[in-house]
Amino acid sequence: MQEVFSRSGEYLIGLKNADTDLLSSPAQFSEYTILFIPEGEGVYHADFGTFNYSGPILLFSTPLQVIYLEHNKPARLTMLQFHSDFYCIEYHREEVACNGLLFNNIYIQPCVKLTHTDARVFEQLLTDVDQEFGQDSPSEIVLRAYLQLFLAKSSSIKIKLIKNHQDRKEKDEQMEQFSKLLDQHYLTLHKPNDYAQLLAITPNNFSKRCMRYFKKTPSQLIQERLILEAKKRLHLTRQSIKEIAYALQFQDEFYFSRVFKKVTKVSPQTFRDKTGISIVADLSKQ
């Protein structure tokens, strides 16, 4: 694996070409992870979500998600990883709109299906990254520029795919309304029945339509929305664990920690330690 570390020994960015054994069992990484799979097919597991894939495709995961692959057909893949200290996706939101598109979105699949022409572009980008790693002193500036280009191209393709999919897909207005209601009430409404009542549909019908539309159960989405907010606050603010627990309306920080660890497999403090605190956390104070 090609890697670059900071002077203090922190892992910043890495590239690995691998066979089908990589990620055959659940794994967690402190870095943002991108998998480029030019061929093959299988199932991508990211936390509680499962997504069928066929190459060429890009798969994305956020820090400390539990991810693994089940291959139906042999696949070769390249894994590109970067720490938020190396490239903060929130700080660079205006240049690369990938936060909430490629990463940190509970409603859309963490995948970008590629054409064979797209795939050749990304293969060349990864070759360029690999060649930079091969220099005696790899330039962080160059690697960061390649990474930003990689993310920008991914975001551009994803936006087009979403638009084309929406044009073809029969829109379920009530499920779209559910996503809006969840964003409004995730702090106070934690049961699927709460949202079924607001939508005036039966719990059973709600569950079936949600699974068909989002590929996740209502319970999964409710839980993921709350934990997503917790992760954002841990990474993007300097609020204490106690302050975050209070803001998210948990009865105390200990209960918050238990719930967070049950979902993510790590404690809130460990998540903060491993992912770091974003530069964005201090910008609002200036």
Side-chain angles (χ1 to χ4, degrees):
M1 183 171 184
Q2 305 271 39
E3 300 170 317
V4 168
F5 294 84
S6 68
R7 291 182 179 178
S8 59
E10 296 173 330
Y11 179 64
L12 297 178
I13 185 171
L15 183 70
K16 182 175 184 178
N17 294 305
D19 56 23
T20 55
D21 290 335
L22 182 69
L23 295 177
S24 59
S25 59
Q28 285 180 289
F29 301 102
S30 300
E31 300 77 33
Y32 289 93
T33 299
I34 306 168
L35 303 174
F36 172 62
I37 303 179
E39 57 188 24
E41 61 183 50
V43 180
Y44 175 46
H45 298 262
D47 287 339
F48 302 110
T50 57
F51 312 95
N52 295 322
Y53 76 83
S54 61
I57 198 167
L58 296 170
L59 308 176
F60 299 83
S61 74
T62 55
L64 296 173
Q65 272 192 301
V66 178
I67 61 174
Y68 67 99
L69 297 171
E70 289 182 281
H71 300 289
N72 298 331
K73 289 185 179 180
R76 61 186 178 90
L77 59 91
T78 301
M79 183 169 70
L80 176 64
Q81 295 180 302
F82 64 97
H83 194 277
S84 57
D85 287 344
F86 180 75
Y87 189 86
C88 177
I89 62 174
E90 179 64 22
Y91 180 73
H92 293 283
R93 178 184 286 272
E94 291 186 8
E95 296 97 331
V96 180
C98 64
N99 195 12
L101 183 66
L102 305 178
F103 306 103
N104 297 316
N105 190 311
I106 66 173
Y107 303 111
I108 59 178
Q109 296 190 17
C111 319
V112 174
K113 180 64 178 173
L114 304 174
T115 66
H116 289 289
T117 300
D118 293 331
R120 287 193 290 271
V121 172
F122 284 103
E123 280 185 313
Q124 183 58 54
L125 263 175
L126 290 170
T127 298
D128 292 339
V129 171
D130 189 52
Q131 289 177 347
E132 184 59 36
F133 272 119
Q135 301 298 315
D136 291 337
S137 298
S139 167
E140 289 186 21
I141 295 175
V142 172
L143 289 171
R144 196 173 287 111
Y146 281 139
L147 175 61
Q148 181 162 306
L149 180 57
F150 193 104
L151 294 173
K153 285 187 172 293
S154 301
S155 296
S156 177
I157 295 170
K158 184 69 170 181
I159 290 170
K160 292 178 183 176
L161 289 172
I162 291 173
K163 185 180 185 302
N164 291 337
H165 184 61
Q166 288 173 340
D167 290 342
R168 296 193 306 268
K169 181 181 178 182
E170 183 178 346
K171 203 167 192 179
D172 189 326
E173 295 293 348
Q174 285 187 302
M175 290 303 97
E176 291 292 330
Q177 181 64 18
F178 166 53
S179 67
K180 294 176 182 177
L181 288 170
L182 181 55
D183 286 337
Q184 292 171 8
H185 302 294
Y186 68 92
L187 289 176
T188 55
L189 301 182
H190 298 157
K191 297 178 180 178
N193 283 1
D194 295 331
Y195 294 94
Q197 289 178 5
L198 289 175
L199 294 166
I201 56 179
T202 66
N204 187 49
N205 186 25
F206 174 41
S207 182
K208 288 180 178 179
R209 287 168 63 178
C210 186
M211 191 67 193
R212 184 168 60 245
Y213 201 69
F214 294 116
K215 310 302 182 186
K216 296 178 182 178
T217 67
S219 295
Q220 286 176 323
L221 286 169
I222 293 167
Q223 186 178 66
E224 286 182 18
R225 183 62 185 85
L226 191 62
I227 296 303
L228 177 60
E229 185 63 27
K231 287 179 176 179
K232 285 181 178 179
R233 290 172 183 260
L234 287 166
H235 180 55
L236 299 178
T237 78
R238 291 191 178 274
Q239 289 179 310
S240 67
I241 306 299
K242 184 176 182 179
E243 287 172 326
I244 293 172
Y246 179 78
L248 298 183
Q249 300 189 23
F250 283 86
Q251 62 190 43
D252 56 50
E253 62 185 295
F254 305 106
Y255 180 58
F256 166 60
S257 295
R258 286 199 300 273
V259 172
F260 189 90
K261 188 171 184 177
K262 181 180 179 181
V263 175
T264 66
K265 312 304 179 187
V266 297
S267 69
Q269 188 60 56
T270 298
F271 180 87
R272 174 168 273 177
D273 291 342
K274 288 182 175 292
T275 61
I277 294 181
S278 168
I279 184 175
V280 175
D282 296 319
L283 291 179
S284 59
K285 299 178 181 179
Q286 295 179 3

